[in-house]
């Protein structure tokens, strides 16, 4: 199938299994959000269900006994809290059942210390196609900024702030899980109609489109307040201004369709820049003072990325894209993605080298609009389907824009993102598959090295071997086929094999779905005068493949007179003798002279000469990686930002 045919076959809307009509009032003084609203949920499974599952992920930050804090994970983001967070549900009334089903003391099933994954048994089964209408009220207490949400001063990143229904899979199982430090999110596609009330001095950036902005009505007095009523009226909008904070308020209404989450940022010191692309997408960047240069860089990166990713993975279907650049001190809110909204961070550094941290981060978060947003895979079950494919897409786009220097350049050297991902990939442990679920990773370093770097290095390796356009097309067909479809790892591997062929598809699955490795070795060579009466020399080269990943590789044979011959080895066996014929004795052999196989464990054994082993041509990983560290160290604020720079590859969302 061509990309044009795949574009035509792409669904234009999602299944829209859920609709949220929410009202939120941000109270900056107490860092709370008072919320109310209605959730309309439809059973899209093939079977009935007798329960609901609701995620209350802000409860991850309520104390040190939650799964988030209790399960030790080293080497990953998540700053300690100076202020805890939690979410309290006051009402969860299902109209069709005529009852409030919220338990008095909700906890995660089987874990009384955690309350991020709530099971709600229902008095009767809900049949396929049946709809429930839920009126709910709640209060969200934001934590000090940590791991994608929270406050820092008057800056508020409001994420995972409402009772969010888990996804019911087609077979009737609920895809639910507690909030884990390395996990992100998974939910049904639907519609969001959200009104956000803030002090009038605050600027807001949110998922979706701003459809209205009006002054808030004054708070009702005791004499004018309506009498309390029993049922649905309890979910009426909270009265603005009765929290003790003086001043005018503004109500902004946002609509978002065919998305699976909603978040917003609010701050009274945001500056704003906006541009509209030729395709009609309005890009808005909210940023702190003295960061206009970074904001313009981010907008420029998004303009490029929307076109590049749209051509590669299917048209971006929304009319807005909001960039939130958090202020200093709120870095934990940066490096994250929500539908139509991304967060970035950092400052441009003055140095004698050029680094592209802001561009890379922006393009990475933007690529999530496809592999987190439009495909909607389960990030808890298979994070590589999001973070891995996003890291590949980011690298592909950066290499297209800055060939060979996608990571930076200086001192006469260039740093490419493929080299950085190779370095990260080789740090990954071999006891765990890239495709593992989040709880299987016991360290953030393993998670970063495997899910981010090894995924990217694997797909880049396939691109080097089979062609960049071929692999980009394969990923693009997958993204189009499974738009709004919540694909599984099996769906991904089958789709890629269908496009790339059996050989490449098998290598991809081995590299990502099993603990695997590959190391090519030029083990020996010899040549001798021909014995068949013809002039010249004959010979052979012994090559070996250690590990499970089978990829064809070029071997360069070099004769004493300088002539060369290139042979293709399919690497189907662990050892092979390559024949040689030439006018001059064979003196050297180099496996993979262009270094296409980024997964090759040890490049120092890729070359062999008649004088013994030698380093192969173009072994630049150590020097380019050192250049990357040196470049950051030479930058203004370099030492303080080195840890953040190293985390850029692994710990962004």
């Amino acid at each position: 199938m061509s990309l044009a045919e795949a574009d035509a076959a792409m669904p234009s809307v999602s299944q829209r299994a859920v609709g949220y009509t929410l009202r939120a009032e941000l109270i900056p003084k107490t860092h709370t959000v008072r919320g109310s609203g209605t959730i309309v949920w439809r059973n899209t499974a093939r079977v009935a269900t007798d329960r609901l599952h609701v995620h209350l992920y802000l409860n991850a930050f309520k104390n040190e006994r939650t799964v988030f804090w209790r399960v030790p994970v080293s080497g990953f983001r998540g700053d300690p809290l100076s202020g805890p967070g939690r979410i309290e549900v006051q009402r969860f009334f299902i109209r069709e059942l005529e009852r409030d089903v919220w338990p008095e003391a909700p906890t995660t099933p089987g874990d009384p210390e955690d309350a991020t994954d709530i099971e709600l048994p229902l008095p009767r089964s809900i049949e396929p196609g049946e709809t429930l209408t839920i009126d709910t009220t709640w209060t969200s207490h934001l934590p000090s900024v940590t791991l994608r949400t929270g406050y820092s001063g008057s800056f508020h990143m409001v994420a995972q702030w409402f009772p969010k229904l888990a996804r019911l899979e087609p077979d009737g199982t609920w895809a639910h899980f507690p909030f884990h430090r390395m996990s992100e999110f998974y939910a049904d596609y639907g519609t969001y109609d959200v009104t956000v009330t803030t002090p009038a001095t605050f600027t807001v950036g949110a998922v979706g489109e701003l459809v209205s902005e009006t002054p808030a009505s004054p708070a009702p007095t005791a004499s004018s307040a309506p009498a309390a009523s029993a049922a649905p009226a309890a979910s009426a909008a909270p009265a603005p201004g009765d929290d003790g904070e003086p001043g005018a308020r503004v109500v902004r209404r946002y609509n978002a369709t065919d998305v699976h989450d909603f978040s917003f940022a609010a701050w009274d010191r945001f500056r704003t820049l906006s541009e509209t692309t030729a395709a009609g997408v309005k890009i808005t960047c909210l940023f702190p003072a003295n960061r206009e240069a970074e904001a313009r860089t981010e907008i420029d990166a998004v303009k490029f990325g929307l076109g590049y990713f749209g051509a590669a993975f299917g048209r971006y279907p929304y009319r807005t894209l909001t960039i939130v650049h958090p202020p200093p001190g709120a870095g934990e809110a940066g490096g994250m993605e929500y539908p139509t909204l991304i967060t970035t961070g950092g400052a441009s550094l003055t140095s004698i080298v050029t680094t592209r941290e802001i561009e890379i981060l922006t393009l990475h978060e933007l690529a999530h609009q496809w592999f987190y947003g439009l495909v909607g895979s389960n990030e808890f079950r298979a994070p590589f389907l999001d973070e891995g494919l996003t890291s590949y897409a980011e690298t592909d786009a950066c290499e297209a824009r800055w060939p060979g220097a996608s990571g930076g350049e200086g001192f006469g050297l260039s740093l490419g993102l493929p080299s950085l991902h190779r370095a990260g990939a080789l740090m990954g442990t071999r006891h765990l598959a890239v495709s593992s679920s989040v709880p299987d990773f016991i360290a953030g370093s393993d998670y970063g090295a495997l899910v981010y770097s090894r995924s990217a290095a694997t797909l880049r390796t396939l691109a080097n071997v089979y062609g960049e356009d071929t692999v980009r097309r394969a990923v693009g067909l997958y993204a189009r086929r499974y738009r709004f479809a919540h694909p599984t790892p099996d769906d991904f591997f089958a789709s890629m094999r269908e496009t790339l062929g059996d050989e490449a598809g098998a290598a991809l699955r081995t590299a990502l779905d099993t603990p695997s490795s590959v190391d090519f070795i030029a083990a020996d060579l010899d040549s001798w005068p021909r014995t068949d009466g013809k002039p010249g020399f004959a010979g052979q080269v012994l090559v070996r493949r250690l590990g499970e990943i089978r990829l064809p590789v070029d071997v360069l044979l070099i004769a004493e007179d300088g002539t060369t011959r290139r042979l293709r080895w399919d690497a189907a066996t662990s050892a092979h003798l390559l024949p040689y014929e030439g006018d001059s004795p064979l003196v050297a052999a180099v496996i993979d002279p262009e270094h296409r196989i980024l997964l090759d464990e040890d490049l120092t054994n890729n070359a062999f000469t008649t004088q013994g082993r030698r380093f192969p041509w173009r072994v630049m990983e150590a020097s380019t990686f050192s250049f990357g560290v040196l470049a950051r160290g030479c930058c203004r604020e370099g030492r303080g930002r080195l840890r953040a720079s190293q985390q850029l590859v692994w710990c962004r969302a």
Side-chain angles (χ1 to χ4, degrees):
M1 177 183 287
S2 70
L3 292 184
E5 291 171 326
D7 278 328
M10 255 189 335
S12 58
V13 298
S14 70
Q15 196 174 30
R16 297 182 183 176
V18 65
Y20 291 88
T21 302
L22 307 178
R23 292 167 292 277
E25 183 184 16
L26 175 66
I27 306 170
K29 181 178 178 180
T30 57
H31 312 300
T32 56
V33 177
R34 295 189 300 181
S36 65
T38 300
I39 306 170
V40 179
W41 174 82
R42 178 167 51 92
N43 181 358
T44 57
R46 297 186 294 268
V47 298
T49 183
D50 61 357
R51 62 200 62 241
L52 300 176
H53 280 269
V54 179
H55 289 152
L56 300 182
Y57 284 149
L58 277 187
N59 282 340
F61 312 112
K62 68 177 183 177
N63 57 47
E64 72 282 357
R65 298 186 302 277
T66 67
V67 169
F68 176 83
W69 291 110
R70 197 173 69 233
V71 176
V73 174
S74 61
F76 202 72
R77 64 187 293 179
D79 283 350
L81 296 174
S82 58
R86 67 187 188 280
I87 181 169
E88 301 163 345
V89 176
Q90 290 91 27
R91 179 179 175 78
F92 208 80
F93 183 89
I94 301 179
R95 296 183 192 178
E96 290 77 6
L97 304 180
E98 297 182 333
R99 69 177 62 188
D100 191 323
V101 299
W102 200 256
E104 289 186 8
T107 60
T108 296
D111 192 337
E113 298 293 339
D114 190 83
T116 60
D117 178 19
I118 312 303
E119 184 179 61
L120 303 179
L122 302 177
R124 66 170 176 83
S125 293
I126 309 303
E127 297 299 319
E130 188 175 355
T131 295
L132 296 181
T133 305
I134 305 161
D135 297 306
T136 181
T137 59
W138 71 95
T139 303
S140 296
H141 301 263
L142 298 177
S144 57
V145 67
T146 184
L147 203 63
R148 316 175 186 101
T149 192
Y151 68 88
S152 177
S154 60
F155 169 82
H156 293 79
M157 185 71 222
V158 185
Q160 305 308 316
W161 58 282
F162 58 92
K164 185 178 179 183
L165 288 172
R167 170 169 160 78
L168 183 64
E169 300 287 8
D171 65 358
T173 59
W174 283 92
H176 64 96
F177 44 87
F179 187 97
H180 191 282
R181 182 177 295 266
M182 290 184 294
S183 175
E184 292 183 46
F185 315 112
Y186 181 51
D188 273 314
Y189 287 98
T191 61
Y192 286 81
D193 184 344
V194 184
T195 56
V196 178
T197 301
T198 67
T201 55
F202 275 59
T203 300
V204 175
V207 167
E209 298 182 45
L210 177 66
V211 296
S212 66
E213 183 173 339
T214 58
S217 302
T221 63
S223 60
S224 64
S229 60
S235 63
D242 60 356
D243 50 76
E245 289 194 359
R249 302 220 160 195
V250 170
V251 179
R252 298 174 176 89
R253 183 181 178 188
Y254 296 89
N255 283 348
T257 302
D258 301 317
V259 299
H260 48 65
D261 205 353
F262 188 95
S263 66
F264 65 94
W267 193 33
D268 54 359
R269 298 182 184 180
F270 270 134
R271 309 290 177 88
T272 304
L273 284 175
S274 294
E275 288 191 31
T276 301
T277 70
V281 179
K282 182 180 180 182
I283 305 169
T284 300
C285 186
L286 307 181
F287 59 95
N290 303 318
R291 291 290 180 265
E292 183 172 337
E294 290 84 345
R296 293 191 182 279
T297 296
E298 289 162 357
I299 288 176
D300 184 60
V302 165
K303 288 169 62 179
F304 169 76
L306 285 173
Y308 191 85
F309 296 140
F313 311 126
R315 182 184 64 85
Y316 181 77
Y318 312 111
R319 295 190 293 187
T320 62
L321 191 289
T322 299
I323 308 164
V324 174
H325 190 118
E332 276 288 321
M336 184 52 190
E337 72 285 346
Y338 297 96
T340 78
L341 184 149
I342 63 174
T343 68
T344 56
S348 296
L349 304 181
T350 301
S351 99
I352 57 177
V353 300
T354 298
T355 60
R356 308 195 200 283
E357 291 182 28
I358 289 178
E359 294 95 325
I360 294 167
L361 177 59
T362 302
L363 286 169
H364 180 94
E365 304 311 330
L366 179 64
H368 275 299
Q369 295 299 312
W370 281 263
F371 298 107
Y372 152 86
L374 291 170
V375 171
S377 50
N378 186 335
E379 297 179 84
F380 184 81
R381 162 60 189 88
F384 88 99
L385 287 180
D386 175 38
E387 295 296 353
L389 295 184
T390 293
S391 296
Y392 156 74
E394 152 222 305
T395 302
D396 185 54
C398 288
E399 279 291 299
R401 198 169 197 195
W402 303 287
S406 52
E409 52 194 322
F411 309 110
L413 294 172
S414 296
L415 176 67
L417 278 179
S419 292
L420 279 176
H421 281 303
R422 167 180 160 76
L426 297 187
M427 294 180 186
T429 57
R430 302 296 174 265
H431 67 274
L432 197 62
V434 172
S435 62
S436 299
S437 298
V438 163
D440 295 330
F441 295 92
I442 63 173
S445 56
D446 287 352
Y447 181 81
L450 293 170
V451 172
Y452 288 73
S453 290
R454 198 162 184 86
S455 295
T458 297
L459 286 164
R460 189 71 187 182
T461 292
L462 292 183
N464 291 342
V465 173
Y466 297 102
E468 292 180 13
D469 291 343
T470 301
V471 172
R472 189 182 304 115
R473 177 176 175 273
V475 178
L477 287 172
Y478 160 78
R480 289 168 170 86
R481 173 181 294 177
Y482 290 104
R483 177 166 287 203
F484 304 133
H486 306 288
T488 66
D490 285 343
D491 294 328
F492 169 73
F493 289 122
S495 178
M496 294 293 286
R497 189 166 193 152
E498 178 183 327
T499 306
L500 295 176
D502 290 345
E503 180 184 80
L508 178 65
R509 183 144 208 166
T510 299
L512 298 184
D513 211 27
T514 66
S516 57
S517 63
V518 65
D519 183 19
F520 292 109
I521 302 171
D524 200 2
L525 63 82
D526 194 10
S527 63
W528 51 86
R530 296 182 63 144
T531 59
D532 57 2
K534 297 180 180 179
F537 293 80
Q540 61 187 20
V541 177
L542 175 61
V543 291
R544 300 187 187 277
R545 172 186 54 79
L546 302 182
E548 302 81 9
I549 303 171
R550 300 180 180 182
L551 285 165
V553 64
D554 286 348
V555 181
L556 185 69
L557 306 183
I558 306 172
E560 189 176 64
D561 62 2
T563 57
T564 61
R565 239 184 112 195
R566 187 180 293 261
L567 301 177
R568 187 80 156 175
W569 176 37
D570 63 11
T573 58
S574 59
H576 187 70
L577 286 173
L578 293 171
Y580 169 76
E581 290 182 358
D583 296 332
S584 180
L586 180 65
V587 295
V590 182
I591 299 178
D592 193 18
E594 282 75 37
H595 179 42
R596 293 189 173 100
I597 312 297
L598 298 179
L599 300 178
D600 193 335
E601 294 280 318
D602 183 2
L603 296 182
T604 65
N605 59 20
N606 282 31
F608 194 94
T609 75
T610 51
Q611 287 77 42
R613 193 170 307 287
R614 291 290 185 269
F615 286 100
W617 293 2
R618 298 182 61 183
V619 178
M620 292 293 291
E621 278 63 43
S623 62
T624 53
F625 188 74
S626 299
F627 157 64
V629 175
L630 178 62
R632 290 165 183 143
C634 290
C635 293
R636 177 173 54 87
E637 306 176 24
R639 290 185 179 181
R641 300 199 57 230
L642 181 58
R643 178 174 174 269
S645 300
Q646 291 168 332
Q647 288 178 334
L648 178 67
V649 174
W650 292 347
C651 296
R652 58 194 168 202

